[in-house]
């Protein structure tokens, strides 16, 4: 006991009998530097996944084997790997605090292997023609919003928070410093997802639209508003405007198919967030590099951009291969690779 006290690893018996929920509640009170949305998500994870399983468990009785079995159960029940990672991070952080407060000698969850992330599904990207079809189905009120999202890459909450003063019409620039978030049914304005302030440029084709959206309005006015002139809520907007527009497209295509006798071509299964993916795909197709696309999307790290859209940068690989071929032309290696002797070297 004396040795463990000197080493700082001694844990009183009374402390070891503390129940997990007490530690979890204490951990959730640590709110410094966290957004309201992050806090809400943490509490939701705790309420749905941690409390039902571990609420009354004495922390001293939680073993590594129990944690591993729990993770395996979640995976076997079909819980997504992303969700398991979120649940584990909060569980692990809670036990880490217990160690730091000398309520546990070691964290039994530390280093537990998690299920491998399932391969991400390919994002749907709209073409210019499909965007035109979507705009027509949206009607006049939000046609400009859909166009703006698809050509600039802003997130819905960022676009909803834009004010007239955010737009530099002469420079065709948009300054993004806040975003709307809906937390527990309440709309609030706060930092962007990446907690950064950034600036993007919009294409000249949007000049007339942006001037019309800002004309005669005060600097503090929001550019995109709800029918009641309040802030746009993504869930309400999706239900009242987005889904009906997609349904109109489906109906029109079915009618055209019946008229022509051809098999109907389904419209891509897209969400409002996929407009950001569309903007990225259009920018990459136009020749934008990874860093430029990352800045446009407000990614704090260009690695995130590359991981998300790696499959779209194949043009860069082709360009590298063609440059390599051009530089090698006429060299000794070029002659060797073209020679019959080298070909025979690969024969069985």
């Amino acid at each position: 006991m004396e040795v463990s006290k000197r080493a700082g690893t001694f844990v009183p018996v009374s402390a070891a009998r503390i129940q997990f929920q007490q530690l979890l509640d204490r951990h959730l009170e640590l709110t410094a530097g966290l957004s309201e949305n992050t806090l809400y998500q943490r509490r939701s994870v705790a309420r749905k996944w941690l409390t039902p399983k571990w609420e009354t468990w004495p922390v001293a009785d939680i073993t590594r084997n129990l944690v591993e079995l729990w993770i395996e159960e979640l995976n076997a029940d079909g819980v997504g790997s992303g969700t398991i990672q979120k649940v584990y991070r909060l569980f692990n952080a809670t036990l880490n605090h217990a160690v730091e407060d000398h309520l546990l000698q070691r964290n039994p969850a530390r280093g537990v292997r998690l299920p491998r992330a399932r391969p991400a599904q390919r994002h749907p990207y709209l073409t210019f023609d499909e965007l035109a079809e979507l705009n027509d189905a949206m009607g006049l009120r939000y046609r400009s919003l859909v166009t703006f999202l698809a050509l600039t890459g802003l997130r819905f909450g960022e676009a909803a928070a834009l004010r007239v003063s955010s737009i530099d019409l002469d420079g065709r620039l948009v300054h993004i410093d806040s975003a709307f978030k809906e937390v527990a049914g309440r709309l609030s304005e706060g930092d962007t997802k990446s907690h950064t302030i950034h600036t993007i440029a919009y294409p000249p084709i949007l000049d007339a639209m942006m001037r019309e959206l800002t004309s005669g309005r005060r600097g503090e006015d929001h550019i995109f508003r709800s029918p009641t002139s309040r802030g746009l809520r993504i869930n309400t907007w999706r239900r009242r405007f987005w889904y009906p527009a997609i349904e109109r497209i489906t109906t029109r295509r079915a009618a055209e198919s019946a008229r022509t006798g051809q098999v109907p071509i389904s419209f891509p299964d897209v969400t409002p967030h996929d407009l950001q993916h569309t903007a990225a795909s259009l920018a990459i197709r136009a020749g934008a590099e990874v860093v430029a696309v990352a800045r446009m999307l407000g990614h704090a790290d260009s690695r995130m951009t590359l991981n998300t859209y790696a499959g779209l940068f194949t043009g860069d690989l082709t360009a590298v291969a063609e440059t390599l071929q051009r530089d090698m032309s006429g060299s000794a290696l070029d002659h060797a690779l073209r020679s019959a002797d080298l070909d025979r070297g690969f024969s069985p």
Side-chain angles (χ1 to χ4, degrees):
M1 180 182 296
E2 291 301 322
V3 173
S4 61
K5 283 183 177 179
R6 288 195 297 270
T9 59
F10 173 70
V11 178
V13 174
S14 58
R17 304 313 298 174
I18 290 178
Q19 294 181 347
F20 177 81
Q21 187 66 42
Q22 294 173 269
L23 294 179
L24 179 60
D25 291 340
R26 183 183 303 179
H27 179 70
L28 292 174
E29 291 174 358
L30 303 175
T31 61
L34 299 178
S35 68
E36 184 179 7
N37 189 49
T38 299
L39 291 173
Y40 177 77
Q41 290 179 358
R42 284 191 176 187
R43 294 189 182 106
S44 296
V45 168
R47 183 171 57 252
K48 182 175 182 179
W49 300 103
L50 299 187
T51 297
K53 173 67 178 180
W54 301 103
E55 180 179 15
T56 59
W57 275 79
V59 292
D61 292 348
I62 299 176
T63 65
R64 184 182 182 87
N65 184 56
L66 286 173
V67 177
E68 290 174 337
L69 289 174
W70 173 52
I71 295 297
E72 289 178 5
E73 289 174 3
L74 292 176
N75 189 44
D77 289 342
V79 179
S81 57
T83 299
I84 292 177
Q85 290 176 12
K86 289 180 182 179
V87 172
Y88 170 78
R89 281 198 297 268
L90 182 56
F91 183 75
N92 186 58
T94 300
L95 294 180
N96 274 338
H97 272 113
V99 174
E100 293 170 1
D101 290 343
H102 302 292
L103 301 177
L104 277 179
Q105 185 172 345
R106 62 179 61 87
N107 179 356
R110 183 178 181 182
V112 168
R113 296 184 63 178
L114 303 180
R116 288 186 178 182
R118 297 179 177 89
Q121 294 183 341
R122 181 183 180 276
H123 297 296
Y125 309 113
L126 297 180
T127 65
F128 287 121
D129 288 342
E130 288 167 340
L131 273 175
E133 189 175 5
L134 178 58
N135 277 348
D136 183 59
M138 286 298 302
L140 292 176
R141 176 178 290 277
Y142 291 117
R143 185 176 298 172
S144 57
L145 174 58
V146 169
T147 302
F148 185 79
L149 292 174
L151 296 185
T152 64
L154 262 67
R155 300 175 180 88
F156 186 93
E158 293 171 343
L162 286 179
R163 302 177 188 274
V164 172
S165 58
S166 306
I167 310 300
D168 176 357
L169 294 173
D170 294 330
R172 298 194 188 98
L173 300 175
V174 181
H175 305 291
I176 303 101
D177 58 8
S178 64
F180 274 133
K181 298 180 180 67
E182 194 168 352
V183 181
R186 185 170 61 86
L187 193 67
S188 62
E189 187 172 357
D191 290 345
T192 62
K193 184 176 181 179
S194 58
H195 304 288
T196 60
I197 298 175
H198 62 287
T199 299
I200 63 166
Y202 59 84
I205 192 66
L206 297 186
D207 269 344
M209 185 187 85
M210 298 308 296
R211 292 186 183 279
E212 182 178 349
L213 287 171
T214 56
S215 178
R217 300 175 63 184
R218 298 172 301 176
E220 65 268 23
D221 289 344
H222 287 110
I223 293 178
F224 303 106
R225 298 175 295 180
S226 70
T228 58
S229 296
R230 297 177 180 176
L232 282 175
R233 295 172 177 264
I234 178 63
N235 293 328
T236 302
W237 187 85
R238 186 191 294 115
R239 184 180 67 254
R240 293 186 58 189
F241 300 100
W242 181 267
Y243 289 146
I246 300 297
E247 182 62 29
R248 281 191 285 272
I249 293 174
T250 302
T251 301
R252 290 175 185 175
R253 289 193 172 198
E256 179 65 16
S257 173
R259 187 183 66 82
T260 61
Q262 297 179 344
V263 177
I265 301 175
S266 61
F267 194 76
D269 184 15
V270 289
T271 67
H273 184 63
D274 290 323
L275 294 177
Q276 185 184 48
H277 299 316
T278 293
S281 72
L282 295 176
I284 293 168
R285 190 183 306 169
E289 297 181 352
V290 176
V291 174
V293 177
R295 290 183 60 189
M296 180 182 78
L297 301 180
H299 288 171
D301 191 331
S302 58
R303 287 177 297 183
M304 179 189 303
T305 311
L306 188 57
N307 289 339
T308 305
Y309 304 108
L312 298 179
F313 284 98
T314 53
D316 289 349
L317 301 178
T318 302
V320 169
E322 291 175 350
T323 300
L324 183 64
Q325 170 68 30
R326 185 173 61 253
D327 292 347
M328 185 174 54
S329 180
S331 68
L333 179 60
D334 183 34
H335 290 302
L337 290 174
R338 296 175 186 275
S339 70
D341 290 339
L342 187 60
D343 289 341
R344 284 196 295 272
F346 289 104
S347 300

